[in-house]
Amino acid sequence: MNKQPFLSILSVFFLITSCGKNDKSAQPGDAAQVKEYKTVTLQPQSATLYSDYPASIQGQQNIEIRPRVEGYIDKIYVDEGAVVKAGQPLFKISAPEYEQQVRTATASIKSAQASVSAAKLAVNKVKPLVEKEIISKYDLESAQYTYESAMANLAQANAALVNAKTNLGYTTVTSPVNGVVGSIPFRLGSLVSSANADPLTTVASIGNVYAYFAINEKKLLNFTEGKTPGNTLAEKIKNMPSVSLVLSDGTPYDSKGRIETVNGLINTETGSVNFRARFPNPKSIIRSGSSTTVRIPNEVKDAILIPQSATFELQDKIFAVTVGKDGKTKNTNITVMDISAGNYYVVTSGLKAGDQIVLEGVATLKDGSQIKANNQSTETVYADLK
């Protein structure tokens, strides 16, 4: 009769003991529950920083082609976007009056030449008679004046022919430079003159192109007070390294350029100043009007760099996660330069050499999280800086 209560008490005891063991094995913070994260110990690094600025492209020369004579467009020798050479015909203007002027001037020359010949004969005829005192010197002087007048008429006729030929030459409109033809608003048969508001077309000389971009006042001050050698702005520009161009599709242009000029005035509306860089364009890849990006390099030495993937943003602030000697994490607010080195931030405050930071999954870690640090070599982490 007493065996049943004893067995019930024994069963309860084993149940409590078993639950106690299960609870102990599930304690948080046990080594089996600590997650491993990749980390790196920060060391000063050298790198090239890049500043990107949106830029617009203009040809070295954008020349408006305008007619110098009035007439109807008889021929159009080129199409929009054609690459042309200096002196190549672009348009033919029908102006018959200039052909008539050439014919008239040519005839006038022949008439003047005949007058010169007749006047010269008269002088030669009168001269011996004067010498023999058969006639007076007045007759000789009169003949000489007639000869000089005939010579002047001949010179005038020659000048008229040159002018007529020049006007006739204006009926063929040629390209003044090597370049690319722009839009052509006129068509065959259109009446054109120098008074037209629109040019016949525009030829952009793109053997070299100019990239125009703007830098704000703060960056301009950093530039003028920076490490670029030179006492004046002109000297600093001359000593600047070559700059790169990134095309609209994101591909880098294969030729480097140079910054040539800086506008002397700051735009009061935007607080920026305009720069101009020149790039060679021998293959005519870049066209006037293109949208590109100018990339300016800046070398830094012994700087603290961290991968951008090792940071997260919160309320417009950038944070990195450091790891203490006890393996616990701490979210650290950092300040970085407004230009980056590829996929890396340049840290100006918040971190120092010797700090250990987490490289991945930082947004999910809270302050005081216990982790297992798998420290990576700096050569591995910063391999693409080399």
Side-chain angles (χ1 to χ4, degrees):
M1 294 293 293
N2 294 330
K3 187 181 293 185
Q4 187 66 30
F6 174 78
L7 292 176
S8 298
I9 293 171
L10 187 60
S11 299
V12 172
F13 172 78
F14 281 113
L15 180 60
I16 294 173
T17 302
S18 175
C19 290
K21 290 181 179 179
N22 290 338
D23 290 344
K24 184 177 180 180
S25 64
Q27 285 294 322
D30 188 90
Q33 301 296 319
V34 176
K35 189 175 179 180
E36 183 179 284
Y37 286 84
K38 290 182 179 180
T39 62
V40 69
T41 301
L42 298 177
Q43 298 295 336
Q45 302 287 331
S46 297
T48 302
L49 309 184
Y50 293 101
S51 300
D52 289 352
Y53 301 95
S56 60
I57 297 295
Q58 291 186 18
Q60 190 172 7
Q61 292 176 294
N62 291 330
I63 302 175
E64 291 184 346
I65 307 300
R66 293 182 177 275
R68 302 185 68 172
V69 295
E70 183 176 352
Y72 295 93
I73 295 179
D74 188 40
K75 293 180 180 179
I76 300 176
Y77 296 108
V78 295
D79 201 355
E80 297 174 349
V83 178
V84 295
K85 300 291 185 181
Q88 180 175 336
L90 304 177
F91 302 91
K92 178 67 176 178
I93 297 175
S94 176
E97 64 271 23
Y98 297 110
E99 296 178 1
Q100 182 60 41
Q101 288 177 6
V102 171
R103 288 193 290 268
T104 300
T106 302
S108 297
I109 287 175
K110 292 181 178 180
S111 176
Q113 287 173 337
S115 297
V116 168
S117 298
K120 188 175 181 179
L121 286 173
V123 170
N124 292 335
K125 179 181 179 181
V126 171
K127 195 171 184 180
L129 296 176
V130 172
E131 292 175 351
K132 295 178 181 180
E133 296 182 353
I134 299 175
I135 59 176
S136 66
K137 292 182 179 180
Y138 173 80
D139 292 328
L140 177 59
E141 291 175 353
S142 177
Q144 287 175 334
Y145 289 148
T146 301
Y147 174 71
E148 290 174 0
S149 176
M151 288 294 293
N153 289 335
L154 177 60
Q156 186 176 10
N158 281 321
L161 178 61
V162 171
N163 187 56
K165 287 183 176 180
T166 299
N167 288 333
L168 182 61
Y170 290 152
T171 61
T172 300
V173 182
T174 61
S175 175
V177 294
N178 298 339
V180 178
V181 177
S183 61
I184 301 176
F186 298 97
R187 293 294 178 262
L188 292 176
S190 299
L191 177 64
V192 295
S193 72
S194 58
N196 286 121
D198 295 326
L200 295 177
T201 188
T202 300
V203 175
S205 175
I206 58 173
N208 291 296
V209 294
Y210 291 130
Y212 291 88
F213 60 99
I215 292 180
N216 63 42
E217 188 175 359
K218 180 181 177 181
K219 290 185 177 180
L220 178 63
L221 289 174
N222 292 337
F223 167 71
T224 55
E225 297 174 358
K227 299 179 181 179
T228 304
N231 297 321
T232 65
L233 184 60
E235 290 178 354
K236 289 180 177 291
I237 292 174
K238 185 178 180 180
N239 293 322
M240 282 191 67
S242 299
V243 297
S244 304
L245 196 66
V246 181
L247 303 180
S248 57
D249 61 355
T251 58
Y253 183 56
D254 57 4
S255 296
K256 300 288 185 180
R258 302 285 304 181
I259 293 178
E260 291 187 334
T261 62
V262 180
N263 194 312
L265 298 177
I266 294 177
N267 189 317
T268 56
E269 295 182 359
T270 62
S272 60
V273 63
N274 289 328
F275 280 61
R276 188 187 77 192
R278 180 172 60 88
F279 292 86
N281 188 32
K283 299 179 181 178
S284 301
I285 295 175
I286 309 174
R287 297 298 178 95
S288 186
S290 301
S291 296
T292 57
T293 300
V294 171
R295 178 166 290 171
I296 301 176
N298 182 24
E299 302 289 337
V300 295
K301 295 182 178 180
D302 299 329
I304 298 299
L305 275 68
I306 65 171
Q308 294 182 10
S309 58
T311 65
F312 66 95
E313 293 188 23
L314 183 63
Q315 296 180 349
D316 296 329
K317 294 181 180 180
I318 300 177
F319 290 86
V321 177
T322 58
V323 184
K325 294 181 179 180
D326 58 357
K328 291 186 177 181
T329 62
K330 180 182 178 182
N331 293 347
T332 303
N333 181 211
I334 62 173
T335 305
V336 301
M337 294 180 66
D338 56 358
I339 55 177
S340 61
N343 296 321
Y344 300 87
Y345 283 131
V346 181
V347 180
T348 56
S349 66
L351 294 173
K352 62 183 184 300
D355 287 344
Q356 189 177 24
I357 64 168
V358 180
L359 293 173
E360 56 187 13
V362 292
T364 61
L365 288 173
K366 297 181 179 180
D367 270 341
S369 298
Q370 187 75 38
I371 68 168
K372 181 180 179 182
N374 180 4
N375 205 41
Q376 308 292 302
S377 67
T378 55
E379 288 77 9
T380 300
V381 175
Y382 298 100
D384 52 352
L385 282 178
K386 307 303 180 184

